Amino acid sequence: MQHAGAEPYSDSDEPSQRPAAVTGQPTDGTVAPSPDASTSPVEEPTVSPVSEGAQVLADLRAQIKRYVVMPSEDALAAVTLWIAATHLQRAWQHAPRLAIVAPEKRCGKSRLLDVITETVRNPLITVNAIPAAIFRSIDDEDPPTLLVDEADTLFSTVKSAEKNEEVRGLINAGHQRNRPTLRVTGPEHKPTAFPTFAMAALAGIGDLPDTVMDRSVVIRMRRRAAGEKVAAFRTTRDTPTLHAIRDRLSAWLTPLYKRALGMEPPMPVEDRAADTWEPLVVIADLAGGEWPALARTACRVMTDYEAGKDEEGGLRTRLLVGIRRAFAAENDPMVLGTRRLLEHLNADKEAPWAEYGANGLTPRGLQLLLKDYGISSANRRFPDGTQAKGFARNQFLDTWDRYCPEPGPAAEPPPGTAA
């Protein structure tokens, strides 16, 4: 599924460049003297030429801003780089998802998806496709870019999430190369491996499943304010300009396949976040100019924000934080009874534990939430000689360090800096 005018991948490795205008006139209002035999030639300042990569990314960014009010400049840079990364999918080890989410309708999700559709390589857009249709559309040699609108309808209720569990598994598997799905095909029922690796953008109301969000560059859209204006998007009128940018992206990036394949850029994040953002940072490094700094700033700021949201709203992480506060409120005893711990947890009126029943979180509910961390209650002896079910503080130390570490002390400002 290749757009007309898009070049196939090749093994050459020379980027094209577009020279920028060079000026050399004085800026103090004087007239530059003409060089003659009695004067030394004036060395005119030069401006470094802007690469074609930096220019086409800037042009794409301007087109996105024309039609969509983005939540931040970081989000705008991230979407720009994500679109460009679709044109080199064969070079990536991980295929980042783009999660375009909003708290309610009319926040620009579908309009952003319109612009993305017309500028990515090999788009495959769907609203409600079955998994078999999706994985039969994925080609290892030239993967499509999956575009899913109204993704919230797939996972918004327990029933729909159960029904679409296979779709979620496909989306998760396709984040990493060499994670095929097996299906029995043909009259002989022969097991057949189907590739799943493909970049994907999913737009919907509310957060997507945690496993999808964890593999995504997350764009949190918001409704336009009264003074924020955008141009109307008209397919017949506006897609030729977007297609021209799409073709320029392909022409720029296709020859750089081998170079991109061997790049391991320094990253401001680690682990899965680094896997997800690496293709965007590689694109930025290939373009040069302002883009390497923009990419790394966006990566750091946006991943920090999502990590903060997880700490605030992730159920199990919130429980761990609540347990740490309960121990602190009791002056960090070596053991804390289950009943007393639950009293502390259920006393937090902003916590979600009231939803667990008329009396809030129960011993059974607490056990289930802590099970995945390998933590459970046991009969404990307390300083007054009594015995009861409870937890030892040292059971949580490693888990707190790994999943909700205490924030470090604020860095001291440099000498002479105003507070």
Side-chain angles (χ1 to χ4, degrees):
M1 189 186 310
Q2 183 170 307
H3 286 294
E7 296 293 331
Y9 289 106
S10 72
D11 289 338
S12 66
D13 194 20
E14 293 299 326
S16 59
Q17 289 190 333
R18 171 181 294 180
V22 177
T23 61
Q25 294 301 318
T27 58
D28 59 359
T30 62
V31 178
S34 300
D36 55 37
S38 62
T39 61
S40 300
V42 177
E43 184 175 341
E44 297 184 348
T46 59
V47 177
S48 299
V50 178
S51 73
E52 167 62 7
Q55 186 62 58
V56 69
L57 290 179
D59 292 346
L60 173 58
R61 178 176 58 188
Q63 286 297 314
I64 297 171
K65 288 184 69 171
R66 173 177 168 80
Y67 300 109
V68 185
V69 174
M70 296 297 293
S72 67
E73 289 297 315
D74 291 324
L76 176 60
V79 171
T80 302
L81 293 166
W82 188 91
I83 291 171
T86 67
H87 291 263
L88 271 183
Q89 287 202 57
R90 277 205 313 139
W92 313 135
Q93 177 63 28
H94 293 87
R97 279 73 188 94
L98 188 70
I100 307 168
V101 297
E104 55 184 86
K105 61 185 178 181
R106 296 198 295 121
C107 289
K109 304 181 309 301
S110 296
R111 180 55 45 82
L112 178 57
L113 204 61
D114 287 337
V115 177
I116 291 172
T117 300
E118 304 304 335
T119 48
V120 297
R121 183 180 178 95
N122 203 2
L124 178 63
I125 189 163
T126 179
V127 173
N128 190 17
I130 62 173
I134 296 175
F135 64 68
R136 281 177 168 81
S137 301
I138 297 176
D139 176 15
D140 261 343
E141 292 303 312
D142 190 7
T145 304
L146 301 178
L147 307 169
V148 183
D149 201 1
E150 300 183 15
D152 52 297
T153 62
L154 298 175
F155 311 111
S156 58
T157 66
V158 173
K159 185 175 181 180
S160 61
E162 290 176 351
K163 178 182 176 183
N164 294 294
E165 177 63 22
E166 195 173 7
V167 175
R168 186 179 67 87
L170 178 63
I171 292 170
N172 290 344
H175 177 257
Q176 186 170 345
R177 191 173 292 282
N178 299 324
R179 295 294 185 273
T181 184
L182 289 174
R183 291 294 182 273
V184 175
T185 61
E188 297 180 356
H189 302 288
K190 180 180 178 181
T192 304
F194 290 90
T196 61
F197 183 81
M199 290 178 66
L202 303 96
I205 296 174
D207 282 7
L208 301 171
D210 288 346
T211 54
V212 177
M213 297 289 279
D214 193 41
R215 292 165 169 81
S216 299
V217 174
V218 180
I219 309 298
R220 295 190 174 275
M221 302 296 290
R222 59 190 182 185
R223 188 169 289 182
R224 283 190 289 123
E228 294 176 326
K229 305 296 182 183
V230 293
F233 182 83
R234 298 292 179 265
T235 301
T236 303
R237 180 193 66 200
D238 298 328
T239 54
T241 299
L242 297 177
H243 286 177
I245 291 177
R246 176 201 67 201
D247 295 341
R248 286 172 59 198
L249 286 169
S250 181
W252 165 49
L253 289 168
T254 295
L256 300 180
Y257 165 68
K258 278 189 174 180
R259 184 182 300 178
L261 192 65
M263 292 175 68
E264 293 185 20
M267 299 292 295
V269 293
E270 298 177 335
D271 303 324
R272 180 163 284 160
D275 294 337
T276 296
W277 277 84
E278 185 178 80
L280 281 66
V281 173
V282 169
I283 292 293
D285 286 353
L286 289 172
E290 64 179 340
W291 289 98
L294 288 177
R296 287 171 172 83
T297 299
C299 173
R300 184 176 61 254
V301 170
M302 293 172 68
T303 54
D304 283 352
Y305 180 81
E306 292 305 316
K309 284 193 69 64
D310 181 65
E311 288 172 10
E312 293 170 6
L315 191 63
R316 287 181 172 82
T317 304
R318 186 160 189 167
L319 176 64
L320 292 174
V321 172
I323 293 172
R324 183 167 60 198
R325 289 173 179 165
F327 271 93
E330 298 282 332
N331 296 317
D332 287 327
M334 294 182 62
V335 294
L336 186 60
T338 301
R339 179 180 297 178
R340 185 62 178 153
L341 175 57
L342 288 171
E343 287 176 359
H344 280 284
L345 293 172
N346 289 322
D348 184 355
K349 300 304 181 185
E350 295 184 359
W353 316 129
E355 301 172 7
Y356 274 68
N359 298 315
L361 192 61
T362 64
R364 173 65 175 164
L366 182 62
Q367 286 282 97
L368 291 175
L369 288 171
L370 292 174
K371 181 179 178 181
D372 288 344
Y373 298 114
I375 298 173
S376 61
S377 65
N379 287 321
R380 305 285 178 182
R381 184 177 295 278
F382 293 85
D384 62 0
T386 61
Q387 290 190 19
K389 288 285 188 180
F391 295 87
R393 186 174 183 274
N394 62 14
Q395 287 180 275
F396 295 95
L397 297 179
D398 182 68
T399 303
W400 285 336
D401 285 342
R402 292 179 185 275
Y403 297 100
C404 54
E406 289 274 23
E412 292 292 330
T417 302

